[in-house]
Amino acid sequence: MRKIEAIIKPFKLDEMKEAVSKIGIKGMTLSEVKGFGRQKGHKEVYRGAEYQVDFVPKVKLEIIVDTDMCTKTVETIMRVGNTGKIGDGKIFVLPVERVVRIRTGESGVEAI
């Protein structure tokens, strides 16, 4: 099993949810996050004063998949998340040793 963590632009969330559902992903966890990379934040104006916003709002998706679904899921996230502009985000793929569904005690792929 693999854990896919994807940091994407917030306005891509609905499209992303629909796309991963179409390839058979049954669930994901969502977190609102802030960060910066090459994008380096941006300037905003509030009551006539300009200030630097160092951390840009993003959305972090966490999806656990069977190893066989990993490549297809990453490709879907890349396709849907790509705007061609700086700040599109990152995808991290990590191994998952064990998954257990608390309610039933199921483990492994059955618990996803």
Side-chain angles (χ1 to χ4, degrees):
M1 291 177 290
R2 299 285 185 260
K3 178 180 183 181
I4 300 169
E5 294 182 359
I7 311 293
I8 64 169
K9 292 182 175 184
F11 70 88
K12 286 288 192 173
L13 179 59
D14 289 335
E15 186 181 354
M16 188 68 69
K17 181 181 167 190
E18 186 176 317
V20 297
S21 292
K22 282 183 181 176
I23 64 167
I25 303 299
K26 295 182 173 84
M28 72 171 98
T29 300
L30 166 75
S31 303
E32 293 180 3
V33 297
K34 293 182 182 184
F36 71 92
R38 291 183 182 161
Q39 197 173 0
K40 301 272 197 261
H42 60 279
K43 293 187 191 289
E44 289 190 8
V45 178
Y46 178 73
R47 295 188 178 188
E50 189 176 273
Y51 64 98
Q52 180 71 24
V53 176
D54 293 324
F55 292 96
V56 180
K58 301 284 184 178
V59 174
K60 178 180 176 182
L61 307 175
E62 297 176 83
I63 305 170
I64 308 296
V65 296
D66 191 16
T67 304
D68 297 342
M69 280 293 293
C70 187
T71 300
K72 187 175 187 178
T73 305
V74 169
E75 288 171 352
T76 300
I77 293 168
M78 287 175 57
R79 178 179 46 80
V80 174
N82 185 8
T83 67
K85 297 187 172 136
I86 195 166
D88 277 349
K90 298 269 191 299
I91 300 171
F92 306 95
V93 179
L94 306 123
V96 173
E97 186 174 316
R98 186 174 179 203
V99 175
V100 178
R101 178 172 287 135
I102 294 171
R103 180 178 55 87
T104 63
E106 293 171 291
S107 63
V109 176
E110 292 79 28
I112 297 179

